[in-house]
Amino acid sequence: ILYQTGLRRSELTHLTEANTNILSATLKVLGKRNKERILPISFSLKCNLEAYLKVKQELNLQNMMLLVNEKGNPLTENALYLIVKKYLSQITTIQKKSPHVLRHTFATHLLNNGASILAVKNLLGHASLSATQIYTHTTIEVLKSSYKKAHPRGDS
């Protein structure tokens, strides 16, 4: 969810089932300064959320919060941090392993693949464009690719 939406850790842990609209494939997120935004979710995330909600119902975990622990209590920010750290440790050697790394990766991948900085700003829930600009550190490979595609003599 973190990587596919760019949510902040607190936004995800405060997400309720009511904020999850499977039918329209959107999440209603309450961000900083109580600013509300609607985020699209991918088909695969939609399917994963449907399956998760079904299991949650089968286990009779009746909590209005979307993410709960095995006892049915809301998942805490610290618990989420530890889960992310555990699974990132299994797949990467980067030093920092936190939910924010996934948010940062989300933004970087969008920008590197052609999303406008304004769209990324809105998806991240930033109040100003300057907050989003820290994610514009495109890799040299992306710059080289853009150069080769756009410049008339980029291939020569």
Side-chain angles (χ1 to χ4, degrees), residues 1-146:
I1 297 173
L2 291 166
Y3 172 69
Q4 289 199 27
T5 62
L7 289 176
R8 297 175 179 97
R9 177 172 45 172
S10 63
E11 291 172 340
L12 181 54
T13 57
H14 289 93
L15 201 60
T16 65
E17 284 188 19
N19 297 134
T20 307
N21 190 327
I22 299 296
L23 198 58
S24 69
T26 59
L27 299 176
K28 187 188 294 184
V29 179
L30 194 61
K32 287 184 175 179
R33 295 168 300 283
N34 288 327
K35 189 175 171 187
E36 190 177 275
R37 67 188 191 278
I38 306 291
L39 297 177
I41 59 173
S42 68
F43 179 75
S44 64
L45 181 54
K46 175 184 168 179
C47 292
N48 288 336
L49 284 172
E50 280 179 315
Y52 170 77
L53 290 170
K54 184 177 179 185
V55 169
K56 190 176 169 188
Q57 184 179 21
E58 288 170 358
L59 295 174
N60 202 28
L61 300 175
Q62 298 177 354
N63 193 304
M64 65 179 231
M65 301 312 290
L66 177 64
L67 297 182
V68 297
N69 62 21
E70 62 279 352
K71 294 179 182 176
N73 298 321
L75 194 68
T76 65
E77 288 186 38
N78 191 49
L80 178 63
Y81 174 85
L82 293 174
I83 291 166
V84 168
K85 185 176 178 177
K86 174 186 173 182
Y87 287 101
L88 283 180
S89 295
Q90 295 174 8
I91 61 168
T92 185
T93 57
I94 60 170
Q95 289 295 319
K96 190 170 182 183
K97 298 171 184 80
S98 70
H100 190 74
V101 168
L102 296 173
R103 179 174 166 84
H104 189 89
T105 304
F106 166 82
T108 301
H109 285 172
L110 285 175
L111 290 167
N112 283 352
N113 287 291
S116 77
I117 193 165
L118 288 174
V120 175
K121 172 193 166 292
N122 292 332
L123 288 168
L124 293 174
H126 286 160
S128 69
L129 197 56
S130 62
T132 312
Q133 287 177 324
I134 62 167
Y135 299 105
T136 59
H137 58 65
T138 55
T139 62
I140 189 65
E141 289 77 19
V142 171
L143 291 174
K144 285 179 183 178
S145 174
S146 295

